[in-house]
Amino acid sequence: MSVEMVELSVKTAEPVRPAGVLQQNRVFLDFFWDIAKPEQEVRLKAVEDLIQYLKKSDQADELDYTFKRLVDGLAHTREAARPGFSLALGQVLSAFEDVSLQTVLDRIKEKHNLQTVKKKLFRNAMFGNLFGVLAIHQSSRLPKEPQVVLGCVKLLQSLSQRKQHLKELPTKTMMDILNEIPEDVFEEVLLSALQTELEAAFSTPEQLQLLLVALRRFPQTLKPKKLKKLLGCSTIINADNIPKLLDVLKMAARSVKKECVLPSVVLDLLKLSLKEDSFQLFWDNAIINGMLKEAAGPAHYLSFRLLGSALPLLSAEQLQEVLSGEVMVQYGEHVVAAQKPDRFKLAPEMDVFVSDFLQECQDADKQLIVMVRFSALTNKGYPVVPSVWRVVQHLQPAAVEQYVAWLKNTFLQPQIDKLLDFSTRKQKDNPAAKEQKDDSVFRLRKWIISRLCAIIDNHLVKKSEDLIMDVARFVFFHAFFGTKKASADIPETKGKLSVPLDDKIRAVLVNSFFGLLLSMHHLPLAEDSPEGVAVSQKRALGVTADGTMWIYHLVQYAQSLLSQPKHAQSSQPFSPEQSQAWDSMLESVANLKKKAKKGPSAESSAFQQLFLLVGMHLFKAPEELLDIMKDLQSCMDKQQEEPEWVEVMVDILLSLLSQPSRHIRQVCRTVFSSICPNVTAAALTAILDVLDPERDDEDDAAVVVTDDNKTQKKNTNEEDDEEDEDMEKSDGSDDDSDEGEEDEAMEEDDAEDDEDEEDDEEEVGPVDQNFRIKMMKILQNQNAMTTAGTEGDGSSDEEMDDDAMLQLDKGLAELFSEQKKKAQAKKDEKTKMQKEKALVRDFKIKVLDLLEVFVARQAGSPLVLGLVEPLLTIIDRGMSSDSDQQEQDFLRRAADIFRNQLCRSKVYCKTVGDREGELHDLLEKLMTKSQKLSDSSVCLYYFSASLYVVKVLRGAPAAEAKEDPTADGAAGSDLKFMGSLDVDRVSKIFIEALNSFMGRRKSPLSAQMFTDLFTRFPGLCVKMLDAAVQHITSGVRVHQQGQACVLVLRAMQSREVQQLLSGAAWTELCGQVSGQLTASLEKVGETESKVVKEKVVKTLELCQFLVKNVKQQKLSVDLEPLQSVLQSLTSAIAFKKTGKLEDTYWAVVKHLGVIKPKVEKIKPEKKADPKELLKKKKGFLPESKKRRKRDIPILEPAAAAAAAEQAALRGKPAAGTGHWKKKHDKKPKQKRPADGAAAAAASPNPAKKSKTTTTSESNSAMKKKPKQKK
């Protein structure tokens, strides 16, 4: 009844709308739904379609309805919908200019009136007003209607007081309006309206920015006289206003603490200072002496961001001054302090500022100033910017050349005083930093070398070949030579070193040079561009424009230095023997170049690289590489005469791989790739001997690993696998810029080390028996001396005197010191062994490069067959041992070469020759070993190797070889072709393996292995099929029986197998399988075992294929025994309504003519559960808890008397004499039935009384039932 009344009231309240297009056109109404959707694409499409629709229809009621819906939507409860309605309203206003903006503004004020709106919708109404003004502003019609401008501004002024919701949005909207309107409108309409905001410009950042926008847009209106009238001063930035501006800047910094951006008002102030020629005043007083005096935090970050944003606005002189001031020093301290974890880092933002400036600025002088000043910001000599700073790629070529020249001059004559060097507070307090100057020079030079190499390594830097060669010559000269006398032919001798180079910096130079050599090896041609090079054309790397290798130019330069000993002096002069090796290298390279002119070849180029690289390494380690150079020379001389030259060359490559150089590693790979066709079995054996895990402990192993020296080992990350930008980044921005912090924490680290040593001493371990005996001797001797002394004195006191105590302490101290030295020696020995083991493993990983190249280049060579067993041994040994990350990488690499590049290669050896017996023995050996393994993953590799050997023995049919020489499957016309494979012997081997898999409870073999065998070699599958069929019933476990069904199913599904077993053989096979399936299903008893059900599923899948095939081909196979077993299967296993087992069963019997019975779905009648009746509804009060009405009806006199009498008996007032209390009302209700009956008998109106009585009875019963149940 109440619902009907509500509906009636709604219908009467709503005015009757005339039937029109609005009620008929659903498309039109859907536009407004789409505008409110969160997807931006949907909203934009709806706005566009709505405008097109309104233009086509041209109906006034639809346009009016559109404005009504859009204005209502401005205060939508969904935040994503408000911008959509605002955009739509702005676009509609722009499209229909005949609609007055004042009308729309009045409608917005009326709909979203803040005075009349409900409190709950107050926030939405504020946003409705704001988005309404934004829509009017977006219509681009505001300048045409000045009064609407005034109305919008006044509305925004009223909204700006609600900052808890809208924040600075109203003020920003006013700025947007100011940016759009002309100056006359501002002067006539808005100036008086905005006078309050303009006068309070120094109150908040928003109001100050409003004034700055007005100054920029209307300079003729806001002249100095007007400003003096408004603010009391004719300029914004002056000495009197600095304190006010400083307060505003602090507020602005705090307001963007979470956003991490530069407030626009700050940048506007900077621009105004440049315009008013007061930049120096603003920068010195407001920023340096103002913001930077605050505690580190938002005020400092604002200053740093302002510095980055100011770069494009400043002149060269201003850049020089600003980037040499206090802001840069504070920024450097922030960068150093921010290296600690969980610290805010502003350096990435500064990188963006500098990168954008360099990209947009075309003035090379300004670019150079910025690069030099940031590079000169140093912490104890080390620049805070990383050595691989990528912003250098935006420099103009002239700026790059000048920057490189500055780096070289700074390296030669480091003047720390002229740099912007700083030290943190902890570094200043650290007493260990006395030798700061020398250490600073080393740190600065180390960074400069890394910076120069990074410039060459970065392919995006615009640099000429002359610049590249200039840097390479500079690094090479100072790494290995020194100036004896200046020479015009050698520009590097003209530079004078203010601080001599020591061994530490020379070690850095040496490693950096060979890293630079690797970068030049991969350097593309300067004129090559991605657009200019064809896709199919291979880009030339490591050569100059004339085709000469970079390393050859450097060798020529080195020769010129060696030939002028009066001007250039080598830091490690060559011995006569080494000089002879150098000269022979030059001669060999010259011969190779002559040979290449006749006919260029990859082999000639590779050998040139090898000679040149070994020659350059003579400067680094002449003693070690002298023998290699001699062997290489003799190897080249005997290349055409003796076949053993390849073995010598492989030994040379192995020796070179022991050097910690990534460049040598790549060149060795290239050289070996060129000599792969000439590799012999002995040469391959030399490589495999290095990788043999059984020879690791032998002294005569082929592994020769050099751990040059400790300093070289520390710095190999620039030469080895870390020689790229990540190395530079870690060197520059992480490691070295953290050295200041490491110095700060030096004392703490030392204290922690001392504590660690004490903890190590306290570790519980096995007690050395000799140590125990020596300690007992000391104690016994001291005890004897004490006893003798006490006997002589006649004293009974057992305490030792001071001399005895000192003697005991001295003995114990010597003993413990000796024991500590022994423990440290053991620890050092263990560390040394671990390092040696890591070096050997790293060397083996490099040697795998040669093996990978050989497998890829010579996959069809018979020598590849000799790699199978060694690689399996490596995998087996690696899988069975606990290994660290390095060994896992080695194992993963070896396994990838074996399985993916050897076994799965489409190119393989197809000419076995006289090795048939050897390969059959290898196959038998592999299969025998695979059955004895304990690890299934290793067994998989052995089985893959067996299939590879079978593939090699089978070869390829003649027809297949002509059409597709790389074919690997059995898709040829002749399926019976087996090549050199002994089918009977191989079938016997695999049948034994199959029997082992089916007959052992724990076997490393798996069904997938045999499935692969059946798929790849159908001929062997036919031979093994009978054995697989027998295992359907003879498998040792239920699981194996199911796997046998899977194998037989996969074999019978193969088209190749069906072709090989066509006719009577196929019919006979089907009969055998049918018998085995019948016997297998007969064994299934009543069970709920999951394993048994899985086996039954696999059996039924085979049954399904068998029955379907027999029925389709109409084979003479008796299926009645199988059918009868299938019919009795439902009694053994309880079937569910659905499931894989049930579905497969009914799919099988369907082929036998049995249809699954349909089960009628009968909904069971729900019986009322007494528990549910007693269960209370959540969220509702029970009847007994509800408050009753206080008004009790007046009873007739007889009934009133009876009620008063009962109330007196209970000790309660009668109905009319007082209020019923809830607490005292509960207990009497349980005893009310008898009283209620009496009252009902005495009452002339029993109906009402019985009703109340029944209610009380039901309530009491509801309360009693749970208690009775308990």
Side-chain angles (χ1 to χ4, degrees):
M1 182 176 178
S2 60
V3 176
E4 294 175 359
M5 291 177 66
V6 170
E7 291 179 354
L8 184 61
S9 63
V10 170
K11 288 179 182 178
T12 55
E14 183 179 2
V16 179
R17 180 182 295 173
V21 183
L22 293 180
Q23 297 179 357
Q24 298 175 1
N25 193 349
R26 188 68 215 171
V27 176
F28 172 67
L29 298 177
D30 285 343
F31 292 145
F32 303 102
W33 287 96
D34 292 341
I35 290 173
K37 288 184 178 178
E39 295 82 8
Q40 185 177 2
E41 295 80 7
V42 177
R43 295 203 302 262
L44 295 176
K45 181 73 166 54
V47 172
E48 184 180 352
D49 294 344
L50 174 63
I51 294 174
Q52 291 179 358
Y53 177 85
L54 291 173
K55 287 181 177 180
K56 289 181 180 178
S57 64
D58 194 19
Q59 294 191 15
D61 59 342
E62 288 184 341
L63 186 60
D64 184 66
Y65 181 78
T66 299
F67 282 111
K68 177 182 178 302
R69 285 291 299 267
L70 294 180
V71 171
D72 291 350
L74 295 173
H76 204 286
T77 53
R78 285 208 311 269
E79 293 184 3
R82 297 171 196 156
F85 283 105
S86 177
L87 174 65
L89 180 58
Q91 297 300 316
V92 172
L93 286 173
S94 179
F96 297 91
E97 295 188 358
D98 54 338
V99 178
S100 172
L101 293 182
Q102 187 64 48
T103 306
V104 177
L105 181 61
D106 294 340
R107 180 175 286 192
I108 292 171
K109 290 180 180 179
E110 181 184 356
K111 178 63 182 176
H112 308 298
N113 191 347
L114 299 179
Q115 305 298 327
T116 59
V117 73
K118 293 181 180 179
K119 186 177 180 181
K120 198 181 292 185
L121 303 175
F122 189 80
R123 182 174 181 272
N124 293 342
M126 284 192 296
F127 277 106
N129 284 295
L130 177 65
F131 280 105
V133 175
L134 285 172
I136 294 174
H137 167 63
Q138 289 172 356
S139 67
S140 303
R141 294 171 49 192
L142 267 179
K144 302 176 183 178
E145 300 186 29
Q147 292 304 317
V148 178
V149 175
L150 181 61
C152 290
V153 170
K154 288 184 177 180
L155 182 57
L156 290 171
Q157 286 176 333
S158 64
L159 292 176
S160 61
Q161 301 172 4
R162 312 287 181 179
K163 289 193 174 181
Q164 68 272 22
H165 296 299
L166 301 178
K167 296 184 179 179
E168 70 280 357
L169 290 176
T171 309
K172 287 185 176 180
T173 308
M174 280 192 272
M175 295 177 205
D176 295 337
I177 293 175
L178 290 181
N179 283 322
E180 186 177 345
I181 62 174
E183 189 164 359
D184 55 347
V185 175
F186 173 76
E187 185 176 1
E188 297 172 3
V189 179
L190 286 187
L191 183 59
S192 57
L194 292 176
Q195 186 166 359
T196 305
E197 282 79 4
L198 296 178
E199 289 176 351
F202 296 112
S203 301
T204 62
E206 293 79 20
Q207 290 175 330
L208 178 59
Q209 190 174 8
L210 186 65
L211 174 62
L212 295 177
V213 171
L215 273 173
R216 187 182 73 250
R217 289 278 298 136
F218 317 115
Q220 298 301 322
T221 303
L222 295 176
K223 292 181 179 180
K225 291 182 180 180
K226 188 66 177 178
L227 278 180
K228 189 166 183 66
K229 184 178 179 181
L230 286 172
L231 304 174
C233 54
S234 58
T235 58
I236 303 295
I237 300 174
N238 53 55
D240 296 333
N241 288 342
I242 289 295
K244 301 176 185 178
L245 291 175
L246 188 57
D247 293 337
V248 174
L249 291 176
K250 292 176 183 177
M251 284 190 285
R254 289 191 295 269
S255 66
V256 294
K257 184 177 180 181
K258 294 182 179 179
E259 289 79 3
C260 297
V261 294
L262 178 69
S264 54
V265 63
V266 183
L267 189 59
D268 289 344
L269 271 176
L270 179 71
K271 293 177 180 178
L272 182 64
S273 69
L274 292 170
K275 182 179 178 181
E276 294 181 349
D277 199 17
S278 56
F279 169 75
Q280 199 66 41
L281 174 69
F282 172 73
W283 191 259
D284 292 341
N285 295 335
I287 302 301
I288 296 178
N289 296 324
M291 300 296 284
L292 291 183
K293 298 299 180 182
E294 298 292 316
H300 284 213
Y301 301 151
L302 181 142
S303 304
F304 303 152
R305 293 188 180 105
L306 181 60
L307 172 67
S309 302
L311 295 178
L313 307 174
L314 304 179
S315 63
E317 294 77 12
Q318 290 170 335
L319 279 175
Q320 187 76 30
E321 185 174 355
V322 167
L323 295 178
S324 303
E326 185 64 22
V327 180
M328 283 290 285
V329 175
Q330 294 289 340
Y331 171 70
E333 292 184 3
H334 160 75
V335 172
V336 173
Q339 296 297 331
K340 295 179 181 178
D342 302 329
R343 293 282 185 92
F344 172 71
K345 297 176 175 60
L346 195 128
E349 296 182 41
M350 187 62 74
D351 291 349
V352 175
F353 285 132
V354 177
S355 179
D356 293 343
F357 164 73
L358 295 176
Q359 201 166 1
E360 296 171 2
C361 178
Q362 302 300 320
D363 188 349
D365 294 334
K366 285 187 176 182
Q367 288 183 336
L368 180 64
I369 291 172
V370 172
M371 289 301 301
V372 167
R373 296 321 304 166
F374 271 96
S375 301
L377 179 61
T378 59
N379 172 230
K380 295 179 65 177
Y382 200 94
V384 297
V385 296
S387 59
V388 290
W389 208 22
R390 292 185 178 275
V391 299
V392 72
Q393 66 195 30
H394 302 303
L395 292 178
Q396 298 294 323
V400 174
E401 293 180 2
Q402 295 175 19
Y403 181 52
V404 169
W406 179 84
L407 290 172
K408 290 163 57 179
N409 292 333
T410 308
F411 179 89
L412 295 173
Q413 297 180 350
Q415 298 177 354
I416 304 299
D417 299 337
K418 292 187 177 180
L419 300 176
L420 202 60
D421 194 69
F422 65 91
S423 297
T424 61
R425 179 177 53 83
K426 290 184 178 180
Q427 289 172 345
K428 293 174 183 176
D429 297 340
N430 188 2
K434 293 181 180 179
E435 300 179 358
Q436 179 180 356
K437 187 172 182 181
D438 294 340
D439 187 50
S440 298
V441 169
F442 167 74
R443 288 156 59 87
L444 177 61
R445 281 177 166 172
K446 180 181 178 182
W447 182 90
I448 289 174
I449 294 302
S450 300
R451 172 81 277 197
L452 288 171
C453 295
I455 290 174
I456 304 303
D457 188 53
N458 192 340
H459 298 171
L460 299 178
V461 177
K462 306 175 187 71
K463 51 188 179 292
S464 62
E465 291 186 352
D466 294 338
L467 180 67
I468 297 170
M469 196 62 201
D470 184 44
V471 172
R473 288 166 50 160
F474 179 83
V475 177
F476 176 78
F477 179 84
H478 292 288
F480 301 109
F481 288 88
T483 301
K484 200 171 182 181
K485 183 180 178 182
S487 172
D489 298 335
I490 307 174
E492 287 73 25
T493 59
K494 296 180 180 179
K496 294 182 180 180
L497 293 167
S498 61
V499 180
L501 302 178
D502 56 3
D503 293 338
K504 280 201 309 181
I505 194 62
R506 281 197 185 275
V508 174
L509 282 162
V510 169
N511 289 318
S512 299
F513 170 73
F514 286 103
L516 179 61
L517 206 58
L518 176 63
S519 300
M520 297 171 72
H521 179 65
H522 295 288
L523 206 61
L525 290 175
E527 64 271 13
D528 279 354
S529 62
E531 295 83 3
V533 180
V535 178
S536 58
Q537 182 181 352
K538 188 175 181 180
R539 300 182 67 182
L541 301 178
V543 297
T544 58
D546 59 356
T548 309
M549 288 183 286
W550 284 107
I551 191 173
Y552 180 76
H553 287 291
L554 287 172
V555 168
Q556 293 295 106
Y557 175 68
Q559 174 61 22
S560 66
L561 294 177
L562 291 173
S563 62
Q564 300 184 46
K566 293 182 180 180
H567 301 284
Q569 183 179 5
S570 176
S571 58
Q572 293 181 352
F574 282 167
S575 64
E577 194 176 8
Q578 293 164 1
S579 299
Q580 185 180 358
W582 173 265
D583 294 337
S584 64
M585 180 271 297
L586 293 176
E587 184 180 353
S588 299
V589 171
N591 294 332
L592 287 170
K593 289 182 76 68
K594 290 179 182 178
K595 185 178 178 181
K597 288 182 179 178
K598 297 178 181 178
S601 63
E603 182 179 352
S604 175
S605 175
F607 276 106
Q608 282 187 56
Q609 286 186 30
L610 185 60
F611 269 111
L612 294 171
L613 187 59
V614 174
M616 295 305 289
H617 274 269
L618 278 174
F619 290 96
K620 181 180 180 182
E623 294 84 2
E624 297 172 11
L625 293 175
L626 181 60
D627 294 335
I628 294 178
M629 180 64 81
K630 291 180 180 179
D631 293 340
L632 190 60
Q633 183 64 44
S634 66
C635 178
M636 288 300 300
D637 294 339
K638 299 177 181 179
Q639 181 177 0
Q640 305 298 332
E641 303 173 4
E642 300 180 7
E644 292 81 6
W645 70 272
V646 178
E647 301 169 21
V648 179
M649 179 60 73
V650 169
D651 289 337
I652 293 172
L653 296 179
L654 292 174
S655 301
L656 288 173
L657 285 175
S658 65
Q659 299 293 324
S661 170
R662 188 179 174 191
H663 194 184
I664 287 181
R665 181 179 179 180
Q666 292 189 354
V667 172
C668 287
R669 186 184 179 102
T670 306
V671 171
F672 187 77
S673 176
S674 65
I675 65 171
C676 268
N678 302 317
V679 170
T680 61
L684 199 59
T685 303
I687 298 174
L688 294 174
D689 287 344
V690 174
L691 301 173
D692 190 358
E694 297 177 358
R695 297 170 62 97
D696 282 351
D697 301 329
E698 298 181 10
D699 296 333
D700 58 343
V703 183
V704 182
V705 182
T706 57
D707 184 13
D708 301 334
N709 50 49
K710 292 182 181 178
T711 57
Q712 180 181 348
K713 180 61 182 173
K714 288 179 183 177
N715 296 321
T716 52
N717 54 347
E718 288 145 357
E719 297 232 3
D720 212 344
D721 295 335
E722 261 79 45
E723 235 177 325
D724 46 16
E725 294 157 1
D726 293 336
M727 175 276 296
E728 296 292 345
K729 190 176 293 184
S730 64
D731 252 0
S733 62
D734 293 336
D735 295 341
D736 290 313
S737 51
D738 285 344
E739 284 181 11
E741 295 175 18
E742 293 169 4
D743 294 338
E744 296 167 15
M746 188 179 297
E747 294 177 353
E748 298 176 4
D749 293 340
D750 292 340
E752 291 176 1
D753 292 340
D754 294 338
E755 291 175 4
D756 293 339
E757 290 176 5
E758 291 175 6
D759 294 338
D760 293 339
E761 291 173 6
E762 294 173 1
E763 287 181 358
V764 179
V767 180
D768 188 3
Q769 193 64 27
N770 294 331
F771 176 70
R772 185 194 295 272
I773 294 172
K774 290 180 181 179
M775 180 178 285
M776 292 298 295
K777 284 182 179 180
I778 293 174
L779 295 175
Q780 287 173 2
N781 293 338
Q782 193 63 41
N783 191 21
M785 291 171 61
T786 305
T787 305
T790 53
E791 287 176 356
D793 296 340
S795 174
S796 61
D797 190 9
E798 297 181 359
E799 294 184 358
M800 293 184 290
D801 56 7
D802 293 343
D803 294 338
M805 285 291 291
L806 289 173
Q807 190 69 21
L808 178 61
D809 290 345
K810 184 178 179 181
L812 291 176
E814 291 177 356
L815 178 62
F816 278 104
S817 177
E818 181 183 356
Q819 182 66 17
K820 186 177 180 180
K821 289 179 180 179
K822 289 182 179 179
Q824 186 63 33
K826 289 182 179 178
K827 187 177 180 180
D828 294 343
E829 184 67 22
K830 184 178 180 181
T831 304
K832 182 180 177 182
M833 291 178 63
Q834 289 177 348
K835 287 184 178 180
E836 290 178 354
K837 187 177 180 181
L839 285 170
V840 171
R841 185 65 63 196
D842 184 60
F843 171 63
K844 288 189 174 185
I845 291 175
K846 294 178 183 178
V847 174
L848 280 178
D849 289 351
L850 306 183
L851 216 57
E852 184 178 16
V853 169
F854 186 77
V855 172
R857 297 293 299 270
Q858 298 292 316
S861 171
L863 294 176
V864 175
L865 299 173
L867 303 178
V868 174
E869 285 189 282
L871 286 174
L872 285 175
T873 304
I874 294 172
I875 295 170
D876 190 6
R877 181 68 64 89
M879 289 281 197
S880 60
S881 62
D882 296 334
S883 56
D884 55 12
Q885 185 61 40
Q886 191 184 29
E887 291 182 353
Q888 289 179 10
D889 294 340
F890 172 71
L891 175 62
R892 193 179 297 111
R893 182 91 183 280
D896 176 73
I897 293 172
F898 174 75
R899 191 168 187 187
N900 297 329
Q901 301 185 39
L902 179 63
C903 295
R904 295 181 179 177
S905 176
K906 293 184 178 181
V907 180
Y908 59 94
C909 178
K910 298 182 177 66
T911 56
V912 177
D914 55 350
R915 301 182 62 183
E916 297 178 12
E918 179 185 347
L919 290 177
H920 281 92
D921 294 339
L922 175 62
L923 176 61
E924 188 171 359
K925 181 180 178 182
L926 292 174
M927 289 306 301
T928 304
K929 180 68 181 294
S930 65
Q931 299 171 43
K932 297 178 181 179
L933 294 171
S934 58
D935 192 349
S936 180
S937 58
V938 180
C939 181
L940 179 61
Y941 287 101
Y942 273 85
F943 202 89
S944 299
S946 303
L947 296 184
Y948 174 73
V949 174
V950 172
K951 179 173 69 172
V952 171
L953 284 169
R954 186 198 62 174
E960 182 185 350
K962 290 179 182 178
E963 294 176 3
D964 186 3
T966 62
D968 189 20
S973 58
D974 191 0
L975 294 174
K976 296 182 180 180
F977 175 79
M978 282 298 172
S980 304
L981 187 70
D982 188 346
V983 179
D984 295 334
R985 181 179 176 182
V986 174
S987 301
K988 184 179 178 181
I989 293 172
F990 282 109
I991 288 173
E992 290 178 358
L994 182 62
N995 294 335
S996 173
F997 169 57
M998 295 294 176
R1000 290 172 56 187
R1001 290 188 171 272
K1002 291 184 179 181
S1003 174
L1005 300 168
S1006 65
Q1008 185 60 42
M1009 298 178 186
F1010 291 100
T1011 302
D1012 293 342
L1013 172 65
F1014 289 179
T1015 304
R1016 296 174 63 181
F1017 305 106
L1020 292 176
C1021 175
V1022 172
K1023 295 288 184 180
M1024 298 175 62
L1025 205 48
D1026 292 339
V1029 171
Q1030 297 302 320
H1031 288 300
I1032 293 177
T1033 55
S1034 64
V1036 67
R1037 289 190 306 171
V1038 176
H1039 173 70
Q1040 268 95 339
Q1041 296 174 11
Q1043 294 299 317
C1045 293
V1046 172
L1047 289 176
V1048 175
L1049 176 61
R1050 298 291 178 268
M1052 295 182 71
Q1053 287 176 337
S1054 173
R1055 292 183 179 180
E1056 292 82 4
V1057 173
Q1058 293 177 11
Q1059 293 178 20
L1060 291 172
L1061 290 176
S1062 59
W1066 180 256
T1067 305
E1068 182 182 355
L1069 175 63
C1070 292
Q1072 292 179 3
V1073 174
S1074 176
Q1076 290 293 322
L1077 291 175
T1078 304
S1080 176
L1081 292 175
E1082 285 176 348
K1083 295 180 181 179
V1084 179
E1086 295 184 4
T1087 180
E1088 291 294 330
S1089 173
K1090 183 179 178 181
V1091 179
V1092 175
K1093 288 186 176 180
E1094 289 178 355
K1095 176 234 177 177
V1096 172
V1097 169
K1098 293 178 173 61
T1099 307
L1100 291 175
E1101 289 175 350
L1102 180 57
C1103 289
Q1104 182 181 4
F1105 175 80
L1106 177 69
V1107 174
K1108 182 179 178 181
N1109 191 272
V1110 169
K1111 293 291 185 180
Q1112 286 180 349
Q1113 298 186 13
K1114 299 179 181 180
L1115 303 177
S1116 57
V1117 178
D1118 187 12
L1119 297 178
E1120 291 184 2
L1122 181 61
Q1123 183 175 357
S1124 60
V1125 172
L1126 288 171
Q1127 290 176 353
S1128 62
L1129 188 63
T1130 53
S1131 60
I1133 299 178
F1135 280 15
K1136 300 177 183 178
K1137 291 182 180 179
T1138 184
K1140 189 174 183 180
L1141 174 62
E1142 292 74 13
D1143 296 344
T1144 310
Y1145 174 80
W1146 291 113
V1148 174
V1149 297
K1150 183 179 180 181
H1151 294 293
L1152 297 172
V1154 179
I1155 305 300
K1156 181 179 180 180
K1158 293 184 178 180
V1159 181
E1160 295 182 0
K1161 295 182 179 180
I1162 302 175
K1163 294 184 179 180
E1165 295 182 358
K1166 293 184 178 180
K1167 296 182 179 180
D1169 190 357
K1171 295 181 181 179
E1172 294 181 0
L1173 294 176
L1174 295 175
K1175 190 175 181 181
K1176 299 176 183 178
K1177 293 182 179 180
K1178 292 184 178 179
F1180 296 92
L1181 286 172
E1183 292 294 331
S1184 60
K1185 299 291 184 181
K1186 290 182 179 179
R1187 179 173 298 189
R1188 302 184 183 282
K1189 290 183 179 181
R1190 302 301 184 191
D1191 299 333
I1192 298 176
I1194 300 175
L1195 304 177
E1196 291 186 6
E1205 183 180 354
Q1206 292 174 9
L1209 291 173
R1210 298 190 191 101
K1212 293 185 177 182
T1217 60
H1219 293 289
W1220 292 79
K1221 294 184 179 179
K1222 195 173 182 181
K1223 290 185 178 178
H1224 301 288
D1225 190 35
K1226 290 182 180 179
K1227 292 183 179 178
K1229 282 184 180 179
Q1230 298 177 0
K1231 301 178 181 180
R1232 196 174 274 185
D1235 299 339
S1243 174
N1245 191 3
K1248 291 183 179 180
K1249 196 66 181 177
S1250 63
K1251 185 176 181 180
T1252 57
T1253 307
T1254 307
T1255 305
S1256 64
E1257 289 176 3
S1258 62
N1259 291 339
S1260 62
M1262 290 289 288
K1263 291 180 181 178
K1264 284 182 179 179
K1265 282 184 179 180
K1267 294 181 180 178
Q1268 292 172 359
K1269 188 175 181 181
K1270 291 180 181 177

